[in-house]
Each structure stands twice: as structure tokens, then as C-alpha cells.
Amino acid sequence: MTETMRWFGENDPVPIEYVKMAGVSGIVSSLHHIPIGDAWSIDEITKRKKLIESHGLRWDVVESIPVHEDIKVRGGNFQLFIENYKTTLSNLGQCGINIVCYNFMPLLDWTRTNLRYPCEDGSLALAFDWRDLAVFDIYIHKRPGAGNDYSLREAAEIKSYFNGLERTKLAEIEDNILKGLPGAEPSYTLDTFRASFDRFKKLDRNALRRNLILFLQDIMPTAERNNLRLAIHPDDPPIPLFGLPRVVSKEEDLAFIFAAVDSPANGFTFCTGSLGVASGNDLPGIIQRLGDRLYFIHLRNIRRLGSGSFVESNHIDGDVDMKSVVRNILQLMKVRRESIPMRPDHGHQMLDDIKKLNINPGYTAIGRMRGLAELRGLQCGLLD
């Protein structure tokens, strides 16, 4: 696999010089300083590309070009934002950057409720607890009818859990859900979250899926003309949040997207952590059945805690059969006769990084380097 690592630009607490020390050849990056919905100019793209190349690295993947919320609800200025999106794609193609990761998650991007989950070895992990999300939904957001989404047994558990929480814990839950995680767009206050939620609350699964397909039908000709590969990222976590649908959670969702918009530019990001939370997803099988549309790889592992809850485990130690996954990826690349960009996705906060206050949760240097080393070893063992 082509080894890459995510870098958030010049404000990233992990300097690009440190990323290079990990031994990767490629960078995964985005232009986060450009407002969502605005087109990326060739000048801005070239500036970032030259900076990356000045360190002997390549800008292999764009992650992400955020999809404006107007496009997801198909309202407001969605037509303008789609045109801007196509301009960005065209400009990236002209600059020789050909893989774009994006997502179509409504309201919130990737979501965790605990950013410092204590592991047995003393490191800190990211975690998602369905009870924390339910407490936010029912008692903080106070969504009308939220309690009806849970069984009587679950509702009793949520109430008991809420009654035992300290104010500091409630504030932590609210902050973790609203402030946004690295690469996620946007962050909210409680008031702006409620206002944004109101735009989505009448959008059911069929409507959100329709809006995704219409968006893809509109942008795929531009992607094809510019020799781009668009790689949609699965929902993270792959469950509905706040009663809102998610439409990229299972293998069946991906197959539907590829059948509805049958373009060689229409592919997906194979994220083992996101897809792995849903125990019904057969990850090695997805590689075999949908591998011709697999354009980018996120490798991380999780340990399921029940009811959609999970903690991010070490890369080769969890509920994802990473050995089978990597074996099938190697076979896929052999058949396709090309290397696919991969990045070690997230990592525990460990060693000296535990003491640091200025970090991007999941994207500390040492934890990701451990993950990369484990994945390298696994890949080399399978190649022998």
C-alpha cells in the first residue's frame, strides 16, 4: 500500500517534518481555511502542493472537500455550492491531484463522546457511548420525541445514567459532540446546532439518499473529465444520530450508490473503523465484492461495546480482522496492478503526547506511528 498520513496544514500540532520522519511517502490534506462551499482556486491548491513537495512528499489524497449542508438538504444556495464543488474538482485535476475523500453525513461529521477513554496500558483512546449521545439528545438538545426512539428498558437505563452524571461530565459530553473533531465541519454552539438540526429534521432516509444521488449525478462528469476518483467515506459511527438518517453505513448502501451512479469516478474510502462498528459488515468480503471502486484506505480497529458503542483499539487488536483485511487488500492491488493510498487512521494518545494540551484528538504523532509500524509489520508478514 502507498503509505500516507493526514496533515492538517501549517497549524497542525504535528509538523510536516515529523510526518516525514514516520517514513510515509504521501500526505492526505485539505484546505481547511477556505469556507465551506467556496471554490478552491488553483493558486491555493498549488501553494499547499508546493509546500508538501518541498519536504519530499506528495499530496496523494484530498480529505476532504466538505459538502455544504445546503447540498445535503437540497435547499438554500445548493446549486451555487454544487457549481463551486465542480470548480474545485476541476482545479484539483489540473493540479494533478486525483483522489478526493468526502462524506455525506447530515448535521455532524464523525462523532465521539469521549476523547480520553483510559485503556489498560495507560494510553488514551477515542470512544463513542450511545448513552452519552442519548443524554445529549434527550436532556441537553431536548429534541422533541427523542425518548420515543428508545425502548422502555433503554429509556430507564438512560435516565438512571443521566441522574448519576456530574455537571462536569455533562459539559464534557456537550463539548465533545458540538465542537467538532479534526477535519470535521462545522463546530456548533447549542443554539446553532438546534438551528441546523431544524433544517434536517424532516429529511428521511429516502430523501437524504436521493439528494446524495442527485449530487453525484451532477458532479461525476466533471470528475471523469479530470481523471478524478471520488471516494465517499462511510458514516462514522454507522448509526442514526438524533433521529437523523445515515445512508453510507453498510455494504448495501455502497452497492446502491455505485449502481445508481455507475461511473468509474464514483468510489469509496474503505474505513475499517467506521464499517467495522456494524458487526453485519463483512469487511474482507467488501474488498472482494466492491474492490474495483476502492480508492482510498483508512486502517484502524475498534472494540464493540454493544448498542453501537465502541472504543478505538490498537490497529491490529480489536474486532476487525485486520489480517484478513490487509491480505485481501494486497490481493486486490495485485489484480489491479496498482498501489492504493492508505493511512493509519487515528491512534492512541500515549507516551509524551499524553502531557500535551495542543493536540488533535486521534491525530497525535506517536499513536499513529505505532499504528503504522504495526500495519507495516502485518503487510510484510503477509507478503513473505
mmCIF file of all heavy atoms in Angstrom, residues 221-265:
data_model
loop_
_atom_site.group_PDB
_atom_site.id
_atom_site.type_symbol
_atom_site.label_atom_id
_atom_site.label_comp_id
_atom_site.label_asym_id
_atom_site.label_seq_id
_atom_site.Cartn_x
_atom_site.Cartn_y
_atom_site.Cartn_z
ATOM 1 N N PRO A 221 -19.604 13.908 -14.121
ATOM 2 C CA PRO A 221 -18.988 14.265 -15.406
ATOM 3 C C PRO A 221 -17.724 15.113 -15.250
ATOM 4 O O PRO A 221 -16.742 14.921 -15.974
ATOM 5 C CB PRO A 221 -20.101 15.032 -16.128
ATOM 6 C CG PRO A 221 -21.369 14.480 -15.553
ATOM 7 C CD PRO A 221 -21.050 14.234 -14.102
ATOM 8 N N THR A 222 -17.738 16.038 -14.282
ATOM 9 C CA THR A 222 -16.546 16.847 -14.014
ATOM 10 C C THR A 222 -15.404 15.970 -13.516
ATOM 11 O O THR A 222 -14.249 16.130 -13.928
ATOM 12 C CB THR A 222 -16.859 17.940 -12.974
ATOM 13 O OG1 THR A 222 -17.899 18.779 -13.462
ATOM 14 C CG2 THR A 222 -15.618 18.773 -12.666
ATOM 15 N N ALA A 223 -15.723 15.035 -12.604
ATOM 16 C CA ALA A 223 -14.702 14.129 -12.085
ATOM 17 C C ALA A 223 -14.107 13.279 -13.204
ATOM 18 O O ALA A 223 -12.890 13.094 -13.280
ATOM 19 C CB ALA A 223 -15.298 13.244 -10.997
ATOM 20 N N GLU A 224 -14.949 12.773 -14.083
ATOM 21 C CA GLU A 224 -14.467 11.937 -15.189
ATOM 22 C C GLU A 224 -13.562 12.729 -16.131
ATOM 23 O O GLU A 224 -12.501 12.236 -16.547
ATOM 24 C CB GLU A 224 -15.655 11.357 -15.952
ATOM 25 C CG GLU A 224 -16.449 10.319 -15.174
ATOM 26 C CD GLU A 224 -17.687 9.863 -15.921
ATOM 27 O OE1 GLU A 224 -17.886 10.305 -17.082
ATOM 28 O OE2 GLU A 224 -18.464 9.070 -15.361
ATOM 29 N N ARG A 225 -13.972 13.946 -16.472
ATOM 30 C CA ARG A 225 -13.173 14.753 -17.393
ATOM 31 C C ARG A 225 -11.786 15.056 -16.833
ATOM 32 O O ARG A 225 -10.824 15.227 -17.588
ATOM 33 C CB ARG A 225 -13.894 16.071 -17.716
ATOM 34 C CG ARG A 225 -15.054 15.949 -18.673
ATOM 35 C CD ARG A 225 -15.467 17.315 -19.187
ATOM 36 N NE ARG A 225 -15.863 18.227 -18.133
ATOM 37 C CZ ARG A 225 -17.099 18.326 -17.655
ATOM 38 N NH1 ARG A 225 -18.063 17.563 -18.147
ATOM 39 N NH2 ARG A 225 -17.372 19.202 -16.703
ATOM 40 N N ASN A 226 -11.694 15.110 -15.521
ATOM 41 C CA ASN A 226 -10.431 15.481 -14.884
ATOM 42 C C ASN A 226 -9.691 14.280 -14.285
ATOM 43 O O ASN A 226 -8.762 14.451 -13.501
ATOM 44 C CB ASN A 226 -10.694 16.528 -13.796
ATOM 45 C CG ASN A 226 -11.078 17.877 -14.372
ATOM 46 O OD1 ASN A 226 -10.203 18.658 -14.761
ATOM 47 N ND2 ASN A 226 -12.377 18.151 -14.456
ATOM 48 N N ASN A 227 -10.131 13.082 -14.669
ATOM 49 C CA ASN A 227 -9.448 11.852 -14.249
ATOM 50 C C ASN A 227 -9.366 11.733 -12.730
ATOM 51 O O ASN A 227 -8.346 11.335 -12.160
ATOM 52 C CB ASN A 227 -8.040 11.789 -14.856
ATOM 53 C CG ASN A 227 -7.410 10.408 -14.734
ATOM 54 O OD1 ASN A 227 -8.115 9.394 -14.798
ATOM 55 N ND2 ASN A 227 -6.104 10.363 -14.552
ATOM 56 N N LEU A 228 -10.485 12.087 -12.067
ATOM 57 C CA LEU A 228 -10.535 12.037 -10.608
ATOM 58 C C LEU A 228 -11.212 10.766 -10.129
ATOM 59 O O LEU A 228 -12.053 10.185 -10.817
ATOM 60 C CB LEU A 228 -11.307 13.243 -10.059
ATOM 61 C CG LEU A 228 -10.732 14.630 -10.320
ATOM 62 C CD1 LEU A 228 -11.654 15.686 -9.754
ATOM 63 C CD2 LEU A 228 -9.348 14.771 -9.715
ATOM 64 N N ARG A 229 -10.836 10.363 -8.920
ATOM 65 C CA ARG A 229 -11.514 9.280 -8.219
ATOM 66 C C ARG A 229 -12.104 9.860 -6.941
ATOM 67 O O ARG A 229 -11.362 10.319 -6.057
ATOM 68 C CB ARG A 229 -10.532 8.151 -7.891
ATOM 69 C CG ARG A 229 -10.058 7.369 -9.125
ATOM 70 C CD ARG A 229 -9.005 6.345 -8.749
ATOM 71 N NE ARG A 229 -8.769 5.388 -9.825
ATOM 72 C CZ ARG A 229 -7.938 4.361 -9.738
ATOM 73 N NH1 ARG A 229 -7.240 4.173 -8.623
ATOM 74 N NH2 ARG A 229 -7.791 3.532 -10.764
ATOM 75 N N LEU A 230 -13.426 9.843 -6.836
ATOM 76 C CA LEU A 230 -14.109 10.353 -5.651
ATOM 77 C C LEU A 230 -14.408 9.183 -4.722
ATOM 78 O O LEU A 230 -15.003 8.185 -5.140
ATOM 79 C CB LEU A 230 -15.393 11.076 -6.043
ATOM 80 C CG LEU A 230 -15.242 12.203 -7.068
ATOM 81 C CD1 LEU A 230 -16.562 12.951 -7.230
ATOM 82 C CD2 LEU A 230 -14.128 13.165 -6.684
ATOM 83 N N ALA A 231 -13.999 9.314 -3.471
ATOM 84 C CA ALA A 231 -14.082 8.207 -2.519
ATOM 85 C C ALA A 231 -14.935 8.607 -1.323
ATOM 86 O O ALA A 231 -14.442 9.262 -0.387
ATOM 87 C CB ALA A 231 -12.679 7.798 -2.074
ATOM 88 N N ILE A 232 -16.209 8.236 -1.345
ATOM 89 C CA ILE A 232 -17.104 8.603 -0.246
ATOM 90 C C ILE A 232 -16.718 7.840 1.020
ATOM 91 O O ILE A 232 -16.389 6.655 0.978
ATOM 92 C CB ILE A 232 -18.587 8.349 -0.620
ATOM 93 C CG1 ILE A 232 -19.512 9.040 0.392
ATOM 94 C CG2 ILE A 232 -18.903 6.851 -0.741
ATOM 95 C CD1 ILE A 232 -20.954 9.130 -0.065
ATOM 96 N N HIS A 233 -16.714 8.545 2.137
ATOM 97 C CA HIS A 233 -16.353 7.946 3.426
ATOM 98 C C HIS A 233 -17.612 7.423 4.108
ATOM 99 O O HIS A 233 -18.636 8.107 4.140
ATOM 100 C CB HIS A 233 -15.672 8.986 4.321
ATOM 101 C CG HIS A 233 -15.049 8.409 5.553
ATOM 102 N ND1 HIS A 233 -15.794 7.958 6.612
ATOM 103 C CD2 HIS A 233 -13.737 8.202 5.890
ATOM 104 C CE1 HIS A 233 -14.982 7.508 7.559
ATOM 105 N NE2 HIS A 233 -13.723 7.634 7.138
ATOM 106 N N PRO A 234 -17.562 6.224 4.680
ATOM 107 C CA PRO A 234 -18.737 5.695 5.391
ATOM 108 C C PRO A 234 -19.099 6.551 6.600
ATOM 109 O O PRO A 234 -18.276 7.291 7.144
ATOM 110 C CB PRO A 234 -18.282 4.294 5.825
ATOM 111 C CG PRO A 234 -17.113 3.966 4.966
ATOM 112 C CD PRO A 234 -16.445 5.273 4.654
ATOM 113 N N ASP A 235 -20.347 6.416 7.011
ATOM 114 C CA ASP A 235 -20.833 7.135 8.191
ATOM 115 C C ASP A 235 -20.048 6.693 9.426
ATOM 116 O O ASP A 235 -19.731 5.521 9.596
ATOM 117 C CB ASP A 235 -22.323 6.846 8.409
ATOM 118 C CG ASP A 235 -23.164 7.246 7.209
ATOM 119 O OD1 ASP A 235 -22.840 8.267 6.586
ATOM 120 O OD2 ASP A 235 -24.128 6.530 6.900
ATOM 121 N N ASP A 236 -19.780 7.652 10.316
ATOM 122 C CA ASP A 236 -18.951 7.377 11.483
ATOM 123 C C ASP A 236 -19.519 8.074 12.712
ATOM 124 O O ASP A 236 -19.340 9.287 12.859
ATOM 125 C CB ASP A 236 -17.517 7.844 11.204
ATOM 126 C CG ASP A 236 -16.543 7.449 12.295
ATOM 127 O OD1 ASP A 236 -16.949 6.693 13.201
ATOM 128 O OD2 ASP A 236 -15.376 7.886 12.251
ATOM 129 N N PRO A 237 -20.233 7.360 13.596
ATOM 130 C CA PRO A 237 -20.497 5.921 13.547
ATOM 131 C C PRO A 237 -21.628 5.587 12.567
ATOM 132 O O PRO A 237 -22.415 6.473 12.205
ATOM 133 C CB PRO A 237 -20.904 5.600 14.990
ATOM 134 C CG PRO A 237 -21.523 6.865 15.488
ATOM 135 C CD PRO A 237 -20.740 7.977 14.834
ATOM 136 N N PRO A 238 -21.748 4.304 12.184
ATOM 137 C CA PRO A 238 -22.731 3.916 11.169
ATOM 138 C C PRO A 238 -24.118 3.654 11.748
ATOM 139 O O PRO A 238 -24.728 2.604 11.502
ATOM 140 C CB PRO A 238 -22.114 2.638 10.587
ATOM 141 C CG PRO A 238 -21.419 2.017 11.757
ATOM 142 C CD PRO A 238 -20.863 3.180 12.556
ATOM 143 N N ILE A 239 -24.604 4.612 12.522
ATOM 144 C CA ILE A 239 -25.937 4.511 13.116
ATOM 145 C C ILE A 239 -26.601 5.886 13.034
ATOM 146 O O ILE A 239 -25.914 6.901 12.988
ATOM 147 C CB ILE A 239 -25.885 4.048 14.602
ATOM 148 C CG1 ILE A 239 -25.034 5.017 15.439
ATOM 149 C CG2 ILE A 239 -25.356 2.628 14.711
ATOM 150 C CD1 ILE A 239 -25.048 4.729 16.927
ATOM 151 N N PRO A 240 -27.945 5.941 13.024
ATOM 152 C CA PRO A 240 -28.619 7.243 13.023
ATOM 153 C C PRO A 240 -28.315 8.012 14.309
ATOM 154 O O PRO A 240 -28.243 7.437 15.395
ATOM 155 C CB PRO A 240 -30.098 6.868 12.948
ATOM 156 C CG PRO A 240 -30.122 5.475 12.402
ATOM 157 C CD PRO A 240 -28.887 4.811 12.927
ATOM 158 N N LEU A 241 -28.109 9.316 14.176
ATOM 159 C CA LEU A 241 -27.885 10.187 15.327
ATOM 160 C C LEU A 241 -28.996 11.219 15.396
ATOM 161 O O LEU A 241 -29.330 11.830 14.381
ATOM 162 C CB LEU A 241 -26.529 10.891 15.212
ATOM 163 C CG LEU A 241 -25.280 10.018 15.054
ATOM 164 C CD1 LEU A 241 -24.035 10.893 15.010
ATOM 165 C CD2 LEU A 241 -25.166 8.993 16.162
ATOM 166 N N PHE A 242 -29.572 11.406 16.571
ATOM 167 C CA PHE A 242 -30.618 12.410 16.803
ATOM 168 C C PHE A 242 -31.831 12.172 15.900
ATOM 169 O O PHE A 242 -32.516 13.116 15.504
ATOM 170 C CB PHE A 242 -30.087 13.830 16.584
ATOM 171 C CG PHE A 242 -28.739 14.057 17.191
ATOM 172 C CD1 PHE A 242 -27.626 14.283 16.394
ATOM 173 C CD2 PHE A 242 -28.558 14.011 18.561
ATOM 174 C CE1 PHE A 242 -26.372 14.472 16.947
ATOM 175 C CE2 PHE A 242 -27.306 14.197 19.125
ATOM 176 C CZ PHE A 242 -26.221 14.432 18.324
ATOM 177 N N GLY A 243 -32.095 10.917 15.577
ATOM 178 C CA GLY A 243 -33.233 10.608 14.723
ATOM 179 C C GLY A 243 -32.994 10.906 13.263
ATOM 180 O O GLY A 243 -33.902 10.721 12.438
ATOM 181 N N LEU A 244 -31.792 11.365 12.898
ATOM 182 C CA LEU A 244 -31.486 11.681 11.503
ATOM 183 C C LEU A 244 -30.911 10.455 10.803
ATOM 184 O O LEU A 244 -30.136 9.701 11.387
ATOM 185 C CB LEU A 244 -30.487 12.833 11.416
ATOM 186 C CG LEU A 244 -30.931 14.157 12.037
ATOM 187 C CD1 LEU A 244 -29.833 15.205 11.885
ATOM 188 C CD2 LEU A 244 -32.218 14.656 11.411
ATOM 189 N N PRO A 245 -31.261 10.254 9.539
ATOM 190 C CA PRO A 245 -30.803 9.060 8.819
ATOM 191 C C PRO A 245 -29.338 9.159 8.434
ATOM 192 O O PRO A 245 -28.763 10.244 8.353
ATOM 193 C CB PRO A 245 -31.696 9.046 7.574
ATOM 194 C CG PRO A 245 -31.980 10.503 7.320
ATOM 195 C CD PRO A 245 -32.110 11.127 8.691
ATOM 196 N N ARG A 246 -28.745 8.016 8.188
ATOM 197 C CA ARG A 246 -27.413 7.928 7.605
ATOM 198 C C ARG A 246 -27.497 6.915 6.476
ATOM 199 O O ARG A 246 -28.155 5.884 6.617
ATOM 200 C CB ARG A 246 -26.371 7.549 8.649
ATOM 201 C CG ARG A 246 -26.204 8.644 9.711
ATOM 202 C CD ARG A 246 -24.853 8.596 10.383
ATOM 203 N NE ARG A 246 -24.556 9.903 10.997
ATOM 204 C CZ ARG A 246 -23.364 10.246 11.451
ATOM 205 N NH1 ARG A 246 -22.348 9.413 11.350
ATOM 206 N NH2 ARG A 246 -23.167 11.419 11.986
ATOM 207 N N VAL A 247 -26.848 7.206 5.362
ATOM 208 C CA VAL A 247 -27.104 6.422 4.148
ATOM 209 C C VAL A 247 -25.844 5.795 3.551
ATOM 210 O O VAL A 247 -25.872 5.278 2.445
ATOM 211 C CB VAL A 247 -27.805 7.288 3.081
ATOM 212 C CG1 VAL A 247 -29.189 7.706 3.563
ATOM 213 C CG2 VAL A 247 -26.978 8.523 2.718
ATOM 214 N N VAL A 248 -24.734 5.817 4.311
ATOM 215 C CA VAL A 248 -23.499 5.183 3.831
ATOM 216 C C VAL A 248 -22.912 4.368 4.982
ATOM 217 O O VAL A 248 -21.772 4.584 5.399
ATOM 218 C CB VAL A 248 -22.480 6.226 3.317
ATOM 219 C CG1 VAL A 248 -21.404 5.539 2.464
ATOM 220 C CG2 VAL A 248 -23.141 7.322 2.511
ATOM 221 N N SER A 249 -23.688 3.429 5.487
ATOM 222 C CA SER A 249 -23.300 2.685 6.682
ATOM 223 C C SER A 249 -22.986 1.222 6.428
ATOM 224 O O SER A 249 -22.291 0.596 7.232
ATOM 225 C CB SER A 249 -24.419 2.772 7.735
ATOM 226 O OG SER A 249 -24.623 4.108 8.149
ATOM 227 N N LYS A 250 -23.515 0.659 5.334
ATOM 228 C CA LYS A 250 -23.389 -0.782 5.099
ATOM 229 C C LYS A 250 -22.945 -1.046 3.663
ATOM 230 O O LYS A 250 -23.005 -0.162 2.805
ATOM 231 C CB LYS A 250 -24.726 -1.474 5.374
ATOM 232 C CG LYS A 250 -25.209 -1.341 6.812
ATOM 233 C CD LYS A 250 -26.527 -2.047 7.029
ATOM 234 C CE LYS A 250 -27.683 -1.308 6.393
ATOM 235 N NZ LYS A 250 -28.994 -1.891 6.766
ATOM 236 N N GLU A 251 -22.551 -2.282 3.420
ATOM 237 C CA GLU A 251 -22.161 -2.682 2.068
ATOM 238 C C GLU A 251 -23.297 -2.427 1.090
ATOM 239 O O GLU A 251 -23.070 -1.980 -0.041
ATOM 240 C CB GLU A 251 -21.770 -4.157 2.047
ATOM 241 C CG GLU A 251 -21.388 -4.658 0.664
ATOM 242 C CD GLU A 251 -20.978 -6.114 0.637
ATOM 243 O OE1 GLU A 251 -20.826 -6.720 1.723
ATOM 244 O OE2 GLU A 251 -20.789 -6.658 -0.474
ATOM 245 N N GLU A 252 -24.524 -2.695 1.528
ATOM 246 C CA GLU A 252 -25.677 -2.480 0.650
ATOM 247 C C GLU A 252 -25.817 -1.024 0.248
ATOM 248 O O GLU A 252 -26.232 -0.716 -0.884
ATOM 249 C CB GLU A 252 -26.957 -2.962 1.344
ATOM 250 C CG GLU A 252 -27.048 -4.460 1.561
ATOM 251 C CD GLU A 252 -26.274 -4.938 2.784
ATOM 252 O OE1 GLU A 252 -25.647 -4.093 3.472
ATOM 253 O OE2 GLU A 252 -26.275 -6.153 3.046
ATOM 254 N N ASP A 253 -25.468 -0.109 1.142
ATOM 255 C CA ASP A 253 -25.525 1.318 0.817
ATOM 256 C C ASP A 253 -24.517 1.657 -0.277
ATOM 257 O O ASP A 253 -24.824 2.398 -1.219
ATOM 258 C CB ASP A 253 -25.231 2.166 2.063
ATOM 259 C CG ASP A 253 -26.275 2.002 3.151
ATOM 260 O OD1 ASP A 253 -27.443 1.715 2.825
ATOM 261 O OD2 ASP A 253 -25.913 2.157 4.331
ATOM 262 N N LEU A 254 -23.307 1.139 -0.136
ATOM 263 C CA LEU A 254 -22.276 1.404 -1.145
ATOM 264 C C LEU A 254 -22.676 0.825 -2.498
ATOM 265 O O LEU A 254 -22.538 1.482 -3.531
ATOM 266 C CB LEU A 254 -20.943 0.815 -0.688
ATOM 267 C CG LEU A 254 -20.290 1.484 0.532
ATOM 268 C CD1 LEU A 254 -19.139 0.634 1.059
ATOM 269 C CD2 LEU A 254 -19.808 2.889 0.198
ATOM 270 N N ALA A 255 -23.191 -0.398 -2.485
ATOM 271 C CA ALA A 255 -23.597 -1.027 -3.745
ATOM 272 C C ALA A 255 -24.698 -0.224 -4.419
ATOM 273 O O ALA A 255 -24.715 -0.070 -5.647
ATOM 274 C CB ALA A 255 -24.056 -2.463 -3.476
ATOM 275 N N PHE A 256 -25.623 0.305 -3.629
ATOM 276 C CA PHE A 256 -26.706 1.136 -4.176
ATOM 277 C C PHE A 256 -26.148 2.388 -4.840
ATOM 278 O O PHE A 256 -26.560 2.769 -5.943
ATOM 279 C CB PHE A 256 -27.685 1.518 -3.067
ATOM 280 C CG PHE A 256 -28.770 2.462 -3.506
ATOM 281 C CD1 PHE A 256 -29.934 1.993 -4.084
ATOM 282 C CD2 PHE A 256 -28.618 3.833 -3.350
ATOM 283 C CE1 PHE A 256 -30.923 2.865 -4.510
ATOM 284 C CE2 PHE A 256 -29.599 4.720 -3.769
ATOM 285 C CZ PHE A 256 -30.768 4.228 -4.351
ATOM 286 N N ILE A 257 -25.194 3.039 -4.191
ATOM 287 C CA ILE A 257 -24.603 4.272 -4.716
ATOM 288 C C ILE A 257 -23.907 4.001 -6.046
ATOM 289 O O ILE A 257 -24.048 4.768 -7.005
ATOM 290 C CB ILE A 257 -23.631 4.864 -3.684
ATOM 291 C CG1 ILE A 257 -24.387 5.374 -2.456
ATOM 292 C CG2 ILE A 257 -22.794 5.986 -4.297
ATOM 293 C CD1 ILE A 257 -23.500 5.677 -1.266
ATOM 294 N N PHE A 258 -23.173 2.902 -6.120
ATOM 295 C CA PHE A 258 -22.435 2.598 -7.353
ATOM 296 C C PHE A 258 -23.372 2.192 -8.482
ATOM 297 O O PHE A 258 -23.104 2.489 -9.656
ATOM 298 C CB PHE A 258 -21.401 1.506 -7.094
ATOM 299 C CG PHE A 258 -20.417 1.852 -6.008
ATOM 300 C CD1 PHE A 258 -19.888 0.863 -5.187
ATOM 301 C CD2 PHE A 258 -20.024 3.164 -5.790
ATOM 302 C CE1 PHE A 258 -18.992 1.181 -4.181
ATOM 303 C CE2 PHE A 258 -19.133 3.495 -4.787
ATOM 304 C CZ PHE A 258 -18.614 2.486 -3.975
ATOM 305 N N ALA A 259 -24.476 1.530 -8.148
ATOM 306 C CA ALA A 259 -25.446 1.149 -9.180
ATOM 307 C C ALA A 259 -26.214 2.363 -9.677
ATOM 308 O O ALA A 259 -26.506 2.483 -10.872
ATOM 309 C CB ALA A 259 -26.409 0.101 -8.627
ATOM 310 N N ALA A 260 -26.527 3.292 -8.762
ATOM 311 C CA ALA A 260 -27.317 4.466 -9.137
ATOM 312 C C ALA A 260 -26.505 5.451 -9.971
ATOM 313 O O ALA A 260 -27.054 6.139 -10.844
ATOM 314 C CB ALA A 260 -27.852 5.158 -7.881
ATOM 315 N N VAL A 261 -25.217 5.542 -9.704
ATOM 316 C CA VAL A 261 -24.325 6.441 -10.452
ATOM 317 C C VAL A 261 -23.131 5.597 -10.899
ATOM 318 O O VAL A 261 -22.102 5.536 -10.222
ATOM 319 C CB VAL A 261 -23.875 7.646 -9.603
ATOM 320 C CG1 VAL A 261 -23.083 8.630 -10.452
ATOM 321 C CG2 VAL A 261 -25.067 8.346 -8.964
ATOM 322 N N ASP A 262 -23.298 4.930 -12.019
ATOM 323 C CA ASP A 262 -22.317 3.952 -12.478
ATOM 324 C C ASP A 262 -21.214 4.642 -13.270
ATOM 325 O O ASP A 262 -21.213 4.676 -14.503
ATOM 326 C CB ASP A 262 -23.003 2.886 -13.340
ATOM 327 C CG ASP A 262 -22.075 1.738 -13.683
ATOM 328 O OD1 ASP A 262 -20.978 1.678 -13.095
ATOM 329 O OD2 ASP A 262 -22.436 0.908 -14.539
ATOM 330 N N SER A 263 -20.290 5.210 -12.529
ATOM 331 C CA SER A 263 -19.163 5.930 -13.127
ATOM 332 C C SER A 263 -17.867 5.414 -12.532
ATOM 333 O O SER A 263 -17.807 5.146 -11.316
ATOM 334 C CB SER A 263 -19.287 7.433 -12.852
ATOM 335 O OG SER A 263 -18.068 8.100 -13.101
ATOM 336 N N PRO A 264 -16.818 5.268 -13.315
ATOM 337 C CA PRO A 264 -15.523 4.848 -12.754
ATOM 338 C C PRO A 264 -14.960 5.857 -11.757
ATOM 339 O O PRO A 264 -14.077 5.518 -10.965
ATOM 340 C CB PRO A 264 -14.625 4.724 -13.988
ATOM 341 C CG PRO A 264 -15.269 5.581 -15.028
ATOM 342 C CD PRO A 264 -16.737 5.487 -14.778
ATOM 343 N N ALA A 265 -15.472 7.074 -11.782
ATOM 344 C CA ALA A 265 -15.020 8.086 -10.822
ATOM 345 C C ALA A 265 -15.709 7.946 -9.467
ATOM 346 O O ALA A 265 -15.294 8.567 -8.491
ATOM 347 C CB ALA A 265 -15.278 9.488 -11.379
#
